[in-house]
Amino acid sequence: MTKTSLICGSLAFDKIMQYHGRFGETLLADQLHRVNVSFLVPTLRTEYGGCSANIAYNLKLLGGDPLIMATIGQDGGEYLQRFDKLGISTRAIRTIGHAYTAQCFVTADLDNNQINAFHPGAMQFAHENNVADCGPLAVAIIAPDGREGMLKHARDCAALGVPFMFDPGQQLPMFSGDELITFIDQATYLAANDYEFEMVMDRTGLTLGDIAKRLDALIITRGDKGSEIHAGGERHDIPPVTAEKVVDPTGCGDAYRAGLLYGITNGFDWPTTGRLASLLGSIKIAHQGGQNHSFSAEEIATKFEQAFGYRF
């Protein structure tokens, strides 16, 4: 039986720039209606990003079988080569020749205030991909992507009987209450952080109990307070794992979701699945960027036993 996990979501480059001053010293409160400023940014780094890539990267480290279904731009050749080196299949990644890969431009000041610009680029054509073209699948995740792509891939999974996790993330505001209810009714699992889940309840008018009853599992993450999984009428409280150091939260949620997918495809119970997901998030946060950490299967098993007192 296949253990392939289909990862539907964005591929992106993150351009991260550091301004060695403070925005507040340059931006004049009474002149914000006619801003014309330039910030000198002596440092610039490019990170490989995008939800689908971050999730697939972590799932591959665990020994899982991720299949990314996403769109990449004319400038994506280097990213595709990276996937090949990592042993992650690119057969379901579509290149959009007339667009650039999605990119986030982040400028941070000395107080860690940020001014961001996001160019969706090729992500806007995610709906051109078809789940039916991917072959046998154990599970899928619909992570943040182009709006029409997320809607279509959820419909595709439902029509094909592929169980999937709905992970709206930062794209959640794009959907109406009725659309979110449709996602929930089609999905097998829902994963969201506590703020996002409050928005889901507000937009749909559904309570936590209402939503949990419609799913096999509802997963809510609460940062350093851990997470909770509602499944089969039970609530499982998942403790946080203390990180060796806190460097960068970027991609922690994606690492957590990779742990969920690994647990689902390997038949783990929910307490074990949630604990593995929590551990992955703690490992990621100790490293800059979403894909610069690494571990072996044996290392993660050992860390799990150290954290929770048993091996998965």
Side-chain angles (χ1 to χ4, degrees):
M1 182 179 294
T2 181
K3 289 189 177 182
T4 300
S5 298
L6 182 66
I7 319 294
C8 306
S10 61
L11 292 175
F13 295 120
D14 297 328
K15 309 286 187 178
I16 302 169
M17 296 158 279
Q18 183 66 54
Y19 172 51
H20 289 179
R22 292 177 170 83
F23 296 143
E25 296 170 353
T26 302
L27 298 171
L28 303 176
D30 61 344
Q31 297 296 316
L32 293 180
H33 62 289
R34 54 174 186 177
V35 173
N36 185 2
V37 296
S38 177
F39 300 105
L40 178 65
V41 288
T43 60
L44 164 68
R45 75 176 193 273
T46 299
E47 295 283 1
Y48 294 102
C51 296
S52 67
N54 291 343
I55 295 170
Y57 178 82
N58 285 277
L59 186 55
K60 187 67 177 182
L61 288 177
L62 282 172
D65 181 23
L67 176 63
I68 296 173
M69 188 172 78
T71 44
I72 202 165
Q74 57 185 278
D75 54 342
E78 180 182 333
Y79 214 159
L80 296 176
Q81 291 173 9
R82 173 176 168 79
F83 290 135
D84 287 339
K85 290 179 181 178
L86 292 170
I88 296 174
S89 174
T90 60
R91 65 182 174 86
I93 298 176
R94 181 185 296 266
T95 297
I96 307 299
H98 57 82
Y100 290 105
T101 302
Q103 298 185 47
C104 186
F105 301 87
V106 181
T107 303
D109 73 0
L110 288 176
D111 295 325
N112 207 32
N113 296 310
Q114 294 185 354
I115 296 176
N116 298 342
F118 182 73
H119 173 64
M123 194 179 81
Q124 299 172 99
F125 301 92
H127 58 276
E128 295 184 7
N129 283 327
N130 302 303
V131 176
D133 296 336
C134 296
L137 302 166
V139 68
I141 182 169
I142 310 296
D145 205 351
R147 171 186 154 82
E148 296 307 315
M150 293 177 73
L151 290 165
K152 179 180 185 298
H153 300 151
R155 290 195 301 268
D156 287 355
C157 286
L160 293 166
V162 175
F164 76 90
M165 181 177 296
F166 178 45
D167 171 26
Q170 66 267 27
Q171 299 294 66
L172 199 156
M174 295 193 308
F175 301 110
S176 68
D178 286 343
E179 287 171 330
L180 290 172
I181 289 173
T182 299
F183 272 122
I184 291 167
D185 287 342
Q186 292 171 330
T188 313
Y189 320 100
L190 169 64
N193 65 34
D194 45 5
Y195 179 83
E196 293 161 354
F197 188 67
E198 289 293 332
M199 186 181 295
V200 169
M201 289 192 294
D202 181 67
R203 292 208 167 188
T204 62
L206 299 175
T207 66
L208 186 153
D210 295 332
I211 294 171
K213 288 177 183 176
R214 299 180 183 217
L215 300 159
D216 283 11
L218 165 63
I219 303 101
I220 305 171
T221 60
R222 300 190 180 279
D224 60 5
K225 296 180 177 61
S227 53
E228 61 195 59
I229 300 177
H230 301 262
E234 295 184 72
R235 168 176 167 157
H236 304 283
D237 289 308
I238 308 300
V241 177
T242 302
E244 293 180 0
K245 54 184 176 178
V246 177
V247 175
D248 180 10
T250 304
C252 285
D254 296 328
Y256 184 99
R257 282 146 181 76
L260 295 177
L261 294 174
Y262 188 83
I264 290 168
T265 55
N266 285 278
F268 295 173
D269 60 28
W270 283 112
T272 299
T273 297
R275 283 167 169 76
L276 177 60
S278 183
L279 176 59
L280 260 63
S282 76
I283 292 172
K284 204 309 311 163
I285 203 171
H287 299 79
Q288 194 82 53
Q291 300 174 36
N292 294 320
H293 57 292
S294 64
F295 52 79
S296 68
E298 181 57 33
E299 286 171 340
I300 199 71
T302 299
K303 287 180 179 290
F304 186 95
E305 185 174 21
Q306 291 170 343
F308 304 112
Y310 69 101
R311 293 177 76 89
F312 62 83

